[in-house]
Amino acid sequence: CGSNAYGQLGDGTTANKDVPTYMTGDITGISAGSIHSIFLSTGSVVYTSGSNAYGQLGDGTTANKNVQTYITGDVTGISAGQYHSMFLSTGNDSYACGYNNYGQIGDGTLVNKLLPTYITGDVRGVAAGGTHSIFFSTGQSYYGVGRNNKGQLGDGTTVAKLFPTYISGQGA
């Protein structure tokens, strides 16, 4: 429910909803960005909808979608940032797409990604913030990337990072 101007509810419309709307399919997880959504369904399949101005839907375009659009399979985790998306594969690899003005994708560039781009392996959790991202490794260490002007990466600095940077270990 809520604002649906870009089709972020994935119900095939752009009409706002003031009550929860039933979603078809076997959805096991949802993550909402500012104006896009990621849906994880049974079988580790990912669908996205909403604004796609920066490629955050991961379908290789910048066209908005008001229906859930299949983008990939073999995913166990999802997280939507302000205008970027993160995915965790069944093989513990992390991928990201969308807005990358602060390096929040984590591939060492400031270039927006229209398709899920491999970032790093040995990951068991991902979290997308507004303009930064956090990775939790299989070795129980945290890594951060992207905007850090308020110290949001937790590495003791206020310097933006373009690659996942070690924050702390053992589940800090």
Side-chain angles (χ1 to χ4, degrees):
C1 57
S3 176
N4 196 29
Y6 295 92
Q8 59 265 43
L9 298 182
D11 67 350
T13 75
T14 54
N16 296 340
K17 304 291 189 290
D18 59 2
V19 295
T21 301
Y22 174 76
M23 303 301 295
T24 61
D26 294 322
I27 304 298
T28 60
I30 299 173
S31 186
S34 287
I35 47 181
H36 78 288
S37 300
I38 307 171
F39 305 89
L40 181 62
S41 74
T42 57
S44 302
V45 176
V46 173
Y47 299 89
T48 57
S49 66
S51 174
N52 198 25
Y54 306 104
Q56 62 265 42
L57 299 185
D59 67 352
T61 75
T62 55
N64 298 342
K65 306 288 188 312
N66 65 3
V67 295
Q68 295 175 20
T69 304
Y70 168 82
I71 62 159
T72 190
D74 295 326
V75 173
T76 59
I78 56 174
S79 186
Q82 183 176 20
Y83 304 117
H84 73 291
S85 301
M86 299 180 70
F87 311 96
L88 178 63
S89 76
T90 55
N92 295 330
D93 292 325
S94 61
Y95 296 82
C97 61
Y99 201 40
N100 197 27
N101 63 325
Y102 295 102
Q104 60 265 43
I105 298 293
D107 69 339
T109 75
L110 296 175
V111 177
N112 297 341
K113 303 296 182 228
L114 303 182
L115 292 168
T117 301
Y118 174 82
I119 306 305
T120 189
D122 295 323
V123 175
R124 68 182 205 177
V126 293
T131 53
H132 70 288
S133 301
I134 304 293
F135 304 84
F136 183 53
S137 76
T138 56
Q140 298 191 10
S141 294
Y142 291 93
Y143 295 81
V145 66
R147 192 170 191 187
N148 197 24
N149 62 321
K150 306 284 186 193
Q152 55 267 52
L153 297 183
D155 68 344
T157 76
T158 56
V159 178
K161 305 296 189 280
L162 298 181
F163 292 102
T165 301
Y166 177 78
I167 298 170
S168 65
Q170 296 303 313

